[in-house]
Amino acid sequence: MNRRIEVEAVSSMSSLPDTASENEPDAPGGRLGWPMTLAILAVCLAVVASGWWVAQVVFKEPELERPSPEDAAAFVLGAADRVARSDSYALSFTRLRDGRPVGEGSASYDAARNPEFELSFTYADGPEVYHYDLGDGVPITTAGHGLQIPEEPSAADRYLCSAAFGSAKLYEIAESSTDLDLVAREELDTETGGRIALRYEGTFTAWVGGYDPEAGVNTLESVEGAPFTLWLSPDGDPLRLVYGAPDGLEELYEYESPPA
């Protein structure tokens, strides 16, 4: 952030009564004529402007450089921050168990919309569940039998009913993967055509959200040692994520529109 020094120039001058007689000449160094006054004022304003510009140059803080893609942890963390700071995003994902699709969902966030955040997930053998954030931090879930607004939100409620969902997996990778590495630069086929992508691989601790229809509550479980493949654009936009777990769980994320 740039630091600024603001200088206020006083343009109005006090008027004093003229006590000199009509024939009395001005004393040396006395009142200046208007041309000279205007000239001095112009010089003063120039000095003020010059001083302000110099202050800007002296106190201007350099912009933070984007991490190198080879610095895998920092680059993935930058991608997570990019999504977290964006005014809008959209993604879709599919969940599989032992290679069989067990559900699919989508999430979207728009700071100018109400609700700001919506996550929907349809289970292959269960209900269609919706999670919302109205912008006031209150988690709302509905699964076909009215709205559920918990008095004391659980970690699962906060995870699934928040715009932070869009950047969660990226943060999980950046913060928990000890073998994260850039392994290739390649072209990735997407719905909008081929895109140059940076492919990262490793293992991480994933948090997997869900819904228990019998108890009527959101769930959240930790999966350690989950292998993943993550594709980012050279500018740091998330494009695709695939990860799995030892128990046969797999998820595929498609980031439909890069954050602004």
Side-chain angles (χ1 to χ4, degrees):
M1 182 181 294
N2 296 343
R3 294 173 55 189
R4 295 189 175 180
I5 293 181
E6 296 182 1
V7 180
E8 264 188 25
V10 179
S11 58
S12 61
M13 301 178 64
S14 297
S15 239
L16 296 178
D18 187 1
T19 58
S21 64
E22 293 182 2
N23 299 323
E24 182 180 350
D26 289 337
R31 290 188 306 167
L32 299 176
W34 277 111
M36 183 61 71
T37 301
L38 292 176
I40 292 177
L41 180 59
V43 171
C44 291
L45 291 176
V47 171
V48 168
S50 174
W52 176 82
W53 181 82
V54 170
Q56 283 285 88
V57 173
V58 171
F59 290 104
K60 182 176 181 180
E61 298 176 359
E63 294 183 3
L64 296 177
E65 294 184 3
R66 180 172 296 173
S68 168
E70 281 72 23
D71 188 348
F75 198 74
V76 173
L77 181 60
D81 290 340
R82 188 174 174 84
V83 177
R85 291 195 304 261
S86 66
D87 292 331
S88 63
Y89 66 74
L91 61 88
S92 60
F93 60 103
T94 302
R95 183 174 297 173
L96 302 95
R97 180 76 67 175
D98 298 324
R100 181 178 65 88
V102 294
E104 58 182 9
S106 63
S108 62
Y109 167 71
D110 188 337
R113 189 186 61 193
N114 188 16
E116 290 185 347
F117 171 78
E118 177 180 347
L119 165 63
S120 63
F121 193 86
T122 303
Y123 292 86
D125 55 356
E128 184 172 17
V129 185
Y130 291 88
H131 308 277
Y132 299 98
D133 179 2
L134 301 182
D136 53 7
V138 177
I140 297 176
T141 299
T142 177
H145 49 72
L147 296 178
Q148 300 176 36
I149 306 177
E151 293 183 3
E152 297 183 4
S154 66
D157 296 328
R158 291 189 293 269
Y159 188 93
L160 294 168
C161 306
S162 167
F165 180 87
S167 57
K169 286 291 180 290
L170 300 174
Y171 279 122
E172 289 161 20
I173 290 173
E175 295 171 357
S176 69
S177 178
T178 59
D179 55 357
L180 171 62
D181 192 25
L182 171 63
V183 297
R185 298 170 186 263
E186 59 193 16
E187 184 170 343
L188 181 67
D189 290 331
T190 68
E191 293 183 358
T192 58
R195 296 192 62 178
I196 299 300
L198 308 174
R199 176 159 57 93
Y200 293 86
E201 294 182 358
T203 57
F204 77 122
T205 298
W207 288 95
V208 182
Y211 182 78
D212 183 343
E214 295 183 3
V217 296
N218 294 318
T219 62
L220 189 65
E221 62 176 323
S222 174
V223 179
E224 297 183 1
F228 70 87
T229 302
L230 171 66
W231 289 267
L232 302 177
S233 77
D235 290 331
D237 294 323
L239 302 174
R240 180 177 297 161
L241 167 64
V242 179
Y243 77 93
D247 64 355
L249 170 73
E250 294 179 86
E251 282 197 329
L252 166 64
Y253 282 69
E254 294 283 352
Y255 296 83
E256 298 174 357
S257 56

